[in-house]
Amino acid sequence: MPNTSAPSTITTAPAARHAEGVSNDEFRAALSRLAAGVVLVTAQEPPLDPDDPSAPAGEDVGMTATAFLSVSLDPPLVLVSLRDGSRMDELLDEQPLWAVSVLSESQRHIAGRFAMKGRVSDRLLFADIPYLRGEHSGAPLVGGALATLECRTEQRVPAGDHTLVIGRVLTARVPSAEGGPLTYFRGRYRQLG
């Protein structure tokens, strides 16, 4: 008896495409060829009870970022891109003061630690990292960073599935001139040279 059933075919779903025709994979692949500096963005949550001076301070929060850039010299402005709904996005929506540590090539472990998904509490992430508190922001400034900045949010701009946070630079320091920058290229942390 002949087989009259239709031959089985395996189909795979096409890559997600946007109206303009660029898929998520194509977009990621193309932009992975753009080298970016790596920074740690930090902020301190407000106290649990701001009216009670004896209430414990809020927890320190940190996030690795590669979408960070200078916007203006006069006034001094920088921009960081935050994924909508991330802990840092929600915190900087209510806390206008934050800081940035420009990581050196020897601080790859810090970048990796604060970039993990499903990570442990930020308190544990900061436990063995040397840092000072910013005089204006109260946020951690990582020891050994190539540069540190303290910022106050000037503007938040919705941009697709991210928020662009533009901050006025309140302090800018170059505590360490040793070593090169940590960079991110083709999906990995890299060193120049």
Side-chain angles (χ1 to χ4, degrees):
M1 182 163 209
N3 184 352
T4 58
S5 64
S8 67
T9 58
I10 298 174
T11 59
T12 57
R17 292 189 102 56
H18 301 283
E20 291 79 21
V22 177
S23 74
N24 291 348
D25 292 341
E26 290 166 336
F27 182 72
R28 280 190 193 102
L31 291 189
S32 75
R33 280 19 180 214
L34 176 65
V38 182
V39 301
L40 183 67
V41 179
T42 57
Q44 187 178 50
E45 291 179 327
L48 298 176
D49 184 356
D51 297 327
D52 180 1
S54 63
E59 188 172 272
D60 293 323
V61 177
M63 179 199 88
T64 301
T66 56
F68 176 79
L69 57 100
S70 168
V71 173
S72 169
L73 184 60
D74 186 17
L77 299 174
V78 293
L79 176 148
V80 65
S81 180
L82 306 174
R83 185 177 39 79
D84 286 344
S86 67
R87 185 168 183 200
M88 188 62 73
D89 177 45
E90 291 174 357
L91 176 55
L92 294 191
D93 193 30
E94 65 179 78
Q95 164 61 282
L97 299 172
W98 45 284
V100 174
S101 298
V102 178
L103 299 180
S104 73
E105 59 195 0
S106 66
Q107 295 178 312
R108 179 186 304 219
H109 65 288
I110 295 172
R113 179 183 294 189
F114 284 90
M116 292 186 301
K117 293 186 191 306
R119 61 189 198 196
V120 297
S121 83
D122 284 78
R123 181 175 292 123
L124 294 174
L125 296 177
F126 281 105
D128 62 349
I129 295 174
Y131 65 86
L132 300 171
R133 291 217 174 267
E135 60 190 87
H136 294 285
S137 66
L141 301 169
V142 176
L146 295 178
T148 59
L149 306 163
E150 289 184 275
C151 306
R152 181 184 64 238
T153 299
E154 293 276 307
Q155 190 175 3
R156 291 174 55 88
V157 180
D161 59 0
H162 279 63
T163 299
L164 306 178
V165 179
I166 299 171
R168 181 181 293 256
V169 178
L170 305 174
T171 66
R173 308 249 191 292
V174 182
S176 175
E178 298 299 316
L182 182 61
T183 60
Y184 194 72
F185 180 70
R186 295 182 74 176
R188 291 182 41 211
Y189 297 117
R190 313 244 183 190
Q191 298 173 338
L192 291 181

